[in-house]
Amino acid sequence: MAEAESISPLHPERDVEIVANHVREGRFQCSLSLITAGASLISGLEVAYEHYRGSYSRRVMYTPVILSGVLAAAGLATVFTPRKTRGPLRIASAVTLVDAGVGFYFHVRGIHRKPGGWRLPMTNMIMGPPVFAPLLFGTAAYLGLIASFLQREDERNHGQGAFRSVRAHFLPPRLRRDLLSEEQDIREGRFQTQVAIVTAVSALLSGFEAYYSHYKNNFRYWVQWTPIVLAPLLAAAAIASIYQRRVARTALPVLSLAASADAAVGFFYHARGVLRRPGGRKHWLYNILYGPPIFAPLLFGAAGMMGLLASMLRRSSR
């Protein structure tokens, strides 16, 4: 992760300490930008074949697919180029977050328009569009937005970016002070509360998505219950960490690692489910499109990753 302090697999304990120090100091822009790019590509692929099932009946269904590529490119550009690329990453992340909100509206409307509408919530949420999927798509955008305010791993300058100063100039004095203070806290790694809240929301949404997705399969395997059990536990730990530092240092990282491991197990089962469909590897594209959502478990892993990040961050200076 660092240039000034090199990481070597020969000294894992030292490496973990280096990474933790960088996170506490807000010096992990390149690492988080790379994670943003990967998460954006995965969520974009998930959206692409889900909307393919819907035959791309509306033009707006193309927007998350396009934006996922734009966000991934902006994330990679931030990794390999100087700080001047923070602006494009910030803009791409903000636009993608707006698109996630628009997608949530259309998914809610799609359920409402099914026979019975919201009077039959469970039936129509199971048979209709996945209502919270667009909000989970916004996870990568949130990470990208945070990354755009962080310091690079080798950076020691705590100065303020021109892009932010120009934007803040047009705000009322009180909002300007609040914005500058919030952004300074992010640059210094003092935004644990914010990430903990997003972790809790992401975990609950992922757990709910897993519930009605596995409900369609009648919970054929006992392992399908694990994300449903872990999701509220992770959310509870994330919220409790806002009020108790000890929870942020103990229960939150343990449950975050458990959620990440469970996401890997879920990915294995979903991939196996795809290969076990008629045709197997010979018709892999068809089976990915119409089999279990292969990348969905990794979105739950994103909540675990954010929880782990929150456990290493510092609290706001205010």
Side-chain angles (χ1 to χ4, degrees), residues 60-283:
V60 73
M61 297 172 78
Y62 287 98
T63 59
V65 180
I66 296 171
L67 285 173
S68 65
V70 173
L71 181 58
L76 291 175
T78 304
V79 174
F80 297 108
T81 55
R83 68 158 63 194
K84 62 183 179 182
T85 56
R86 289 176 177 178
L89 178 60
R90 197 170 302 174
I91 293 171
S93 300
V95 173
T96 304
L97 278 175
V98 172
D99 189 68
V102 172
F104 178 63
Y105 162 75
F106 276 105
H107 281 218
V108 169
R109 191 178 73 167
I111 293 173
H112 174 71
R113 288 184 171 182
K114 291 187 72 66
W118 286 102
R119 288 175 296 175
L120 301 172
M122 185 56 67
T123 299
N124 286 337
M125 288 177 72
I126 291 173
M127 303 306 297
V131 63
F132 295 124
L135 299 182
L136 292 173
F137 171 70
T139 300
Y142 168 76
L143 295 175
L145 192 62
I146 290 298
S148 70
F149 290 103
L150 293 172
Q151 305 169 71
R152 297 177 74 86
E153 280 77 346
D154 58 345
E155 187 176 347
R156 291 295 187 273
N157 179 20
H158 291 267
Q160 309 304 318
F163 182 85
R164 182 194 58 195
S165 300
V166 170
R167 187 184 67 246
H169 178 74
F170 296 99
L171 296 175
R174 183 176 179 180
L175 290 178
R176 185 188 310 167
R177 288 194 299 271
D178 290 344
L179 177 63
L180 295 178
S181 179
E182 184 69 25
E183 293 182 3
Q184 185 63 29
D185 281 346
I186 292 175
R187 284 182 57 81
E188 296 176 356
R190 298 181 181 274
F191 57 108
Q192 184 184 72
T193 297
Q194 181 185 138
V195 179
I197 292 173
V198 175
T199 297
V201 173
S202 179
L204 289 176
L205 296 183
S206 296
F208 192 81
E209 289 284 313
Y211 176 77
Y212 69 72
S213 177
H214 292 170
Y215 181 85
K216 294 179 182 179
N217 192 242
N218 294 319
F219 291 95
R220 184 177 177 182
Y221 303 101
W222 67 266
V223 75
Q224 292 179 311
W225 286 100
T226 56
I228 299 165
V229 173
L230 280 173
L233 293 177
L234 177 58
I239 295 299
S241 69
I242 298 174
Y243 305 99
Q244 296 290 335
R245 292 177 182 268
R246 179 176 296 180
V247 175
R249 295 291 181 265
T250 55
L252 182 57
V254 170
L255 287 169
S256 297
L257 288 172
S260 299
D262 189 68
V265 172
F267 178 71
F268 164 77
Y269 273 99
H270 281 219
R272 190 180 71 168
V274 168
L275 294 177
R276 285 185 172 184
R277 288 177 60 83
R281 296 178 182 177
K282 294 181 180 179
H283 303 288

